Amino acid sequence: MSDNEASPAQTGPSDQFLIESEFPISLRRTVFSHGWVYLEPWRWDESRQELSRPERVGSSCLQIRVTQQGPRDLLCGVDGEQRTGEHFEFAKRAVRRWLSIEWDPRPAIRVAGDIDPKVGAFIESGGGRFLRCSTFYEDFVKTVCTVHAAWSGTMRMVSSLVKDLGAGTFPTPVQVVEHGEDRLRKELRLGFRSRVLAESTLRLLDEGRMDEKGDLVAGGIAYEDLLSLRGVGAYSASHMMMLLGDFSRVPVDSEVIRFCKDRYGIESKEVDSFFERWGQYRFLGYKLSRTLSDHDE
């Protein structure tokens, strides 16, 4: 795979560059793979089929945009008062993470081919990726904000973090720690999640599992590591691992329970064994089978 190099320093109108994926990739399917696109600071322009969001790089605030150009090609733009090579490199890394461009879908296609060829064809044509945020930490915080909360509450909490703490961009781990549990609770109204985020953020930093920008450090993080964090249960840990490319668990929440009972007549404790034949792709088996069945109705 290769990227067209962006100019090292530009001013004036937005500059664009191409990212080429080794495998087919669908921007739209990835954007609507789950609910992240509806949370700040994401924006989706339906008329342009364009995904965008603001990012803070040093003292600069950038707007990064991406559209589909071909089955494997994505056109990216960077808006800002002054753009440097650092800004373009940041944008390339961010877009690659958003769309899981490094993921090799071939093993999943082979597994799906023996179980559900429709799922295999869906992945082969560019589906099967899930929209991710710019950092591990943003995915973590947003996952925590979905626990024991209606979706409207999740949207409100994330909006408060972005607008009131991040000044329009998603806050860094350092900003969350410095804000403190009490202010997270009283000012941003995060409820019990205030303590979860304050303590977990500090621990992830202190143990060197992520850096001050919120990126995982070398060695990554395991399911058991996530479970050991305050307030992180099986659902949150499984959801985070899914966003890290580990599809071996189905994050079981009320929506999964309701769907599996209505569609398959199984209870929550049976979900894992029901999708066992998918092996390390249990979540893809559940999610993509559901996506395709919803389209058929």
Side-chain angles (χ1 to χ4, degrees), residues 119-149:
V119 169
F122 183 84
I123 299 172
E124 195 167 11
S125 63
R129 289 174 171 80
F130 296 86
L131 183 64
R132 304 193 298 179
C133 298
S134 298
T135 65
F136 158 84
Y137 183 64
E138 184 178 343
D139 281 328
F140 175 74
V141 172
K142 288 180 173 177
T143 296
V144 169
C145 286
T146 67
V147 176
H148 298 307

Side-chain angles (χ1 to χ4, degrees), residues 107-121 264 274-282 284-286 289:
I109 293 170
R110 287 194 291 269
V111 171
D114 294 332
I115 302 172
D116 189 337
K118 288 185 178 179
V119 169
Y264 304 116
F274 184 84
F275 291 99
E276 185 175 5
R277 59 182 178 161
W278 288 88
Q280 61 181 318
Y281 297 106
R282 282 180 177 84
L284 289 183
Y286 156 74
S289 296

Side-chain angles (χ1 to χ4, degrees), residues 14-17 26-32 36-39 41-54 62-69 73-79 95 98-99 131:
S14 170
D15 288 276
Q16 298 179 318
F17 59 91
S26 170
L27 174 62
R28 184 178 178 82
R29 286 177 178 175
T30 304
V31 165
F32 291 103
W36 261 207
V37 71
Y38 300 108
L39 300 177
W42 289 111
R43 293 289 183 272
W44 172 255
D45 187 319
E46 181 66 23
S47 63
R48 293 184 174 186
Q49 297 287 291
E50 178 185 86
L51 179 69
S52 64
R53 56 177 284 156
L62 310 173
Q63 188 78 11
I64 303 175
R65 303 177 287 103
V66 57
T67 56
Q68 186 101 43
Q69 290 296 292
D73 299 330
L74 300 158
L75 184 64
C76 306
V78 182
D79 298 326
V95 172
W98 296 352
L99 306 178
L131 183 64

Side-chain angles (χ1 to χ4, degrees), residues 256-274:
V256 172
I257 292 171
R258 183 170 56 252
F259 175 81
C260 286
K261 186 168 186 177
D262 291 345
R263 175 74 62 173
Y264 304 116
I266 60 175
E267 303 296 331
S268 59
K269 62 183 179 181
E270 301 173 283
V271 170
D272 186 70
S273 59
F274 184 84

Side-chain angles (χ1 to χ4, degrees), residues 12 57 70 79 94 104 117 131 133 136 149 155 169 171-173 192 214 253 255 272 292 295:
V57 182
D79 298 326
D104 182 349
L131 183 64
C133 298
F136 158 84
M155 294 178 71
T169 59
T172 66
F192 74 89
D253 61 2
E255 182 180 341
D272 186 70
L292 291 171
H295 289 170

Side-chain angles (χ1 to χ4, degrees), residues 64-209:
I64 303 175
R65 303 177 287 103
V66 57
T67 56
Q68 186 101 43
Q69 290 296 292
R72 304 185 185 202
D73 299 330
L74 300 158
L75 184 64
C76 306
V78 182
D79 298 326
E81 288 298 318
Q82 183 170 359
R83 285 143 289 147
T84 67
E86 177 189 7
H87 297 152
F88 284 99
E89 288 303 319
F90 178 93
K92 281 193 252 186
R93 290 194 303 272
V95 172
R96 297 188 80 87
R97 189 179 198 282
W98 296 352
L99 306 178
S100 299
I101 288 177
E102 310 300 338
W103 183 56
D104 182 349
R106 290 174 295 185
I109 293 170
R110 287 194 291 269
V111 171
D114 294 332
I115 302 172
D116 189 337
K118 288 185 178 179
V119 169
F122 183 84
I123 299 172
E124 195 167 11
S125 63
R129 289 174 171 80
F130 296 86
L131 183 64
R132 304 193 298 179
C133 298
S134 298
T135 65
F136 158 84
Y137 183 64
E138 184 178 343
D139 281 328
F140 175 74
V141 172
K142 288 180 173 177
T143 296
V144 169
C145 286
T146 67
V147 176
H148 298 307
W151 186 246
S152 59
T154 298
M155 294 178 71
R156 178 194 59 76
M157 288 185 280
V158 172
S159 180
S160 294
L161 283 162
V162 171
K163 294 178 180 178
D164 300 332
L165 185 53
T169 59
F170 199 84
T172 66
V174 173
Q175 287 177 298
V176 170
V177 169
E178 289 180 345
H179 206 66
E181 178 184 342
D182 288 344
R183 294 176 68 191
L184 290 172
R185 188 184 305 274
K186 294 175 182 177
E187 296 176 8
L188 303 187
R189 297 187 296 146
L190 300 188
F192 74 89
R193 302 161 199 81
S194 304
R195 186 175 183 185
V196 173
L197 292 179
E199 293 189 8
S200 295
T201 302
L202 190 59
R203 183 175 165 190
L204 288 166
L205 288 169
D206 286 347
E207 292 183 354
R209 296 194 179 277

